[in-house]
Amino acid sequence: MGWALIRAYTVLVYLFMFLPVAVVVLLSFNASQFGSFPMTGFSFRWFETLWQNEAIVRAFKTSIALGLMTALVSTTLGVLAALALVRYSVPGREMITTLLIAPILVPEVVLAVALLLFLNALNINKSFGLLLMGHVIFTLPFVILVVQARLVSIRRDVEEAALSLGATPRQTFFAVTLPLLTPAVAAGALFAFTISFDDITGTLFWKPGGVETVPTQIFSMLRNSISPEINALGTVMIVMTVGLPLIGAGIARSLANRKGG
């Protein structure tokens, strides 16, 4: 009886969490311009209207470009940092690790305000570069944690065998270490892209005037009125933010199984 109550309570909690998301997805296919039930019909008209909105398309291009650059920079720095912290004896390694992972522990709004005030004190104006730097600071710890977990499981003697056969450290990294790290690198890059694409708190503080990402575009649209386009845009966001990590996890597992085989 006790376990049945726990299961029922768990189901109710998940319904409370995900039912609003399901409602948004359903209403995005509603033929009526009024977001209410019962639905008057099934239609893709709001998705067609969505892609005819130049502001939304521009926000999508900005978010994708920002996410790709964030993933590239965070993954590169994360792999190098993980290699240094795991494979080499770095003075103050524990303190450096704590500092690199600290952005996860600090609330994002506090981190956003602190970075903005710091750059204002240095008389640095808002720019796309500042926005990119903020996203890198926030996503870098996730990449480091994922790559470190994979790097610890890679046997050191495999790399030492390559070095003993005459390979240089660079050749060993690209021929031995990096292929074994590929699942973690791919997962870290997808995590960084997804977090950057979905971020709104830091973006609101760091973005320059005239630059909108998809989350900030949704926020500005909600301040004016609730349009069926917002439901369609929310559905696209849900598909991307949920689908990409699942695809990344599948790719990482496939690569890990292939390397293991």
Side-chain angles (χ1 to χ4, degrees):
M1 187 65 181
W3 282 110
L5 290 175
I6 292 175
R7 292 190 187 97
Y9 181 76
T10 304
V11 171
L12 290 175
V13 169
Y14 275 101
L15 285 176
F16 180 79
M17 291 173 58
F18 294 108
L19 193 58
V21 177
V23 170
V24 170
V25 175
L26 284 175
L27 291 178
S28 66
F29 296 99
N30 191 4
S32 173
Q33 64 178 344
F34 302 105
S36 60
F37 289 99
M39 296 174 58
T40 59
F42 185 87
S43 175
F44 290 97
R45 60 178 293 196
W46 303 118
F47 291 93
E48 296 174 0
T49 306
L50 181 68
W51 295 115
Q52 293 173 0
N53 190 320
E54 294 183 0
I56 294 176
V57 173
R58 185 165 56 249
F60 255 105
K61 292 180 180 178
T62 302
S63 289
I64 291 175
L66 179 62
L68 289 175
M69 286 188 284
T70 300
L72 177 62
V73 176
S74 295
T75 304
T76 303
L77 295 178
V79 170
L80 295 176
L83 281 171
L85 295 173
V86 174
R87 285 290 187 260
Y88 300 96
S89 179
V90 180
R93 178 167 54 186
E94 290 77 10
M95 182 179 297
I96 295 174
T97 302
T98 302
L99 290 175
L100 290 174
I101 301 177
I104 298 179
L105 308 177
V106 179
E108 188 178 357
V109 64
V110 176
L111 181 64
V113 173
L115 180 59
L116 181 61
L117 293 177
F118 175 72
L119 294 173
N120 284 340
L122 298 178
N123 294 322
I124 299 177
N125 297 323
K126 292 182 179 180
S127 63
F128 189 83
L130 168 62
L131 180 59
L132 175 61
M133 181 175 66
H135 280 217
V136 169
I137 292 174
F138 188 64
T139 57
L140 181 60
F142 294 93
V143 179
I144 292 176
L145 290 175
V146 172
V147 175
Q148 272 187 333
R150 176 65 176 174
L151 192 59
V152 169
S153 65
I154 297 176
R155 296 172 56 182
R156 185 65 185 269
D157 53 4
V158 177
E159 299 170 331
E160 292 176 350
L163 292 172
S164 65
L165 293 174
T168 64
R170 179 179 298 181
Q171 291 173 333
T172 301
F173 173 75
F174 285 105
V176 178
T177 308
L178 186 58
L180 295 174
L181 280 178
T182 300
V185 173
L190 281 170
F191 267 121
F193 176 84
T194 304
I195 294 170
S196 173
F197 188 86
D198 199 38
D199 181 78
I200 183 171
T201 304
T203 305
L204 286 174
F205 285 93
W206 301 326
K207 72 180 184 69
V211 175
E212 298 288 349
T213 61
V214 176
T216 61
Q217 183 66 32
I218 294 176
F219 181 74
S220 63
M221 292 171 66
L222 286 173
R223 283 164 44 181
N224 298 325
S225 63
I226 298 179
S227 168
E229 295 179 49
I230 298 177
N231 296 326
L233 186 56
T235 300
V236 175
M237 287 286 294
I238 292 168
V239 170
M240 292 194 66
T241 55
V242 175
L244 283 178
L246 292 177
I247 294 173
I251 294 174
R253 180 174 296 181
S254 176
L255 290 173
N257 292 336
R258 188 177 303 174
K259 297 298 180 182

